[in-house]
């Protein structure tokens, strides 16, 4: 088993010392010369004041639709949600055993406004006589959590 060691251990006789010359696991500390003078030079995520809210995925804005009827087809969901904007991706999970929809779908839009319109327009609406719940699939930390009761 190969182990990467970065820091020297205090010499024998010192408090908490291990045998001389041994190194301990770690990623370095504040004294690590690899990070010297680099404080504040790293990119950070934009912060909206910790309010939560939607977060963009790598390629677009994703909403999760729950309450999808088990016999719904991809075309049914696509038609219902395409009126709010161009759908980049639609994922409808099927149960392997039954072949029916598991009850949820992920829909990805290019623009945040399109996804927001879909949430406002379809949340609580019926599709194939079943009420849908539509929310942001990804949210920033600090916001209201989905599914919490």
């Amino acid at each position: 088993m190969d182990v990467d060691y970065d820091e020297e251990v205090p010499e024998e006789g010192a408090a908490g010392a291990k045998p001389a010359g041994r190194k301990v696991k770690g990623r370095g500390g504040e004294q690590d010369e690899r990070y010297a003078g680099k404080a504040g030079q790293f990119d950070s995520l934009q912060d909206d004041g910790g309010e939560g809210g939607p977060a963009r995925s790598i390629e677009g804005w994703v909403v999760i639709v729950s309450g999808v009827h088990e016999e719904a087809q991809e075309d049914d969901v696509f038609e219902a949600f395409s009126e709010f904007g161009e759908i980049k991706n639609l994922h409808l999970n099927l149960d392997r055993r039954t072949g029916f929809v598991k009850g949820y779908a992920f829909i990805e839009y290019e623009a945040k406004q399109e996804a927001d319109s879909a949430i406002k327009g379809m949340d609580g609406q019926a599709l194939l006589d079943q009420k849908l719940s539509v929310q942001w699939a990804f949210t920033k930390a600090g916001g209201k959590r989905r599914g919490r009761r």
Side-chain angles (χ1 to χ4, degrees), residues 21 24 26 38 40 66-67:
V24 295
K38 302 216 191 267
S66 56

Side-chain angles (χ1 to χ4, degrees), residues 10 13 21 31 34 36 45 47 50-51 55 67 71-72 81 87 92 96 100 105 107 114 124 137 141:
Q31 295 81 18
R34 292 179 294 173
L45 298 174
D47 186 13
E51 296 175 8
E71 293 182 4
F81 283 85
I87 294 175
L92 198 60
R96 290 184 197 169
F100 289 119
I107 302 172
E114 295 171 342

Side-chain angles (χ1 to χ4, degrees), residues 75-146:
D75 289 345
D76 299 326
V77 178
F78 187 90
E79 286 177 25
F81 283 85
S82 63
E83 68 181 73
F84 300 100
E86 184 179 343
I87 294 175
K88 287 182 62 175
N89 193 6
L90 185 146
H91 184 77
L92 198 60
N93 246 353
L94 302 178
D95 186 314
R96 290 184 197 169
R97 189 175 49 84
T98 65
F100 289 119
V101 173
K102 284 189 173 181
Y104 65 92
F106 290 102
I107 302 172
E108 182 178 357
Y109 292 94
E110 177 69 38
K112 181 179 180 183
Q113 297 83 358
E114 295 171 342
D116 194 44
S117 296
I119 291 170
K120 290 175 181 170
M122 292 300 292
D123 189 35
Q125 299 298 314
L127 179 67
L128 299 178
D129 297 326
Q130 193 153 320
K131 186 177 174 183
L132 300 176
S133 174
V134 186
Q135 301 175 20
W136 292 106
F138 305 108
T139 56
K140 296 174 187 167
K144 177 175 90 168
R145 293 183 65 162
R146 180 176 64 245

Side-chain angles (χ1 to χ4, degrees), residues 6-25:
D6 289 332
E7 295 179 20
E8 291 285 338
V9 172
E11 299 210 15
E12 279 188 80
K18 301 217 188 280
R22 283 214 37 162
K23 295 183 178 184
V24 295
K25 281 188 188 180

Side-chain angles (χ1 to χ4, degrees), residues 40-87:
Q41 294 182 9
F42 298 102
D43 292 335
S44 64
L45 298 174
Q46 295 297 321
D47 186 13
D48 291 346
E51 296 175 8
R56 190 178 200 284
S57 74
I58 293 173
E59 296 182 12
W61 297 88
V62 182
V63 297
I64 184 168
V65 182
S66 56
V68 178
H69 193 280
E70 66 178 7
E71 293 182 4
Q73 299 291 313
E74 192 172 302
D75 289 345
D76 299 326
V77 178
F78 187 90
E79 286 177 25
F81 283 85
S82 63
E83 68 181 73
F84 300 100
E86 184 179 343
I87 294 175

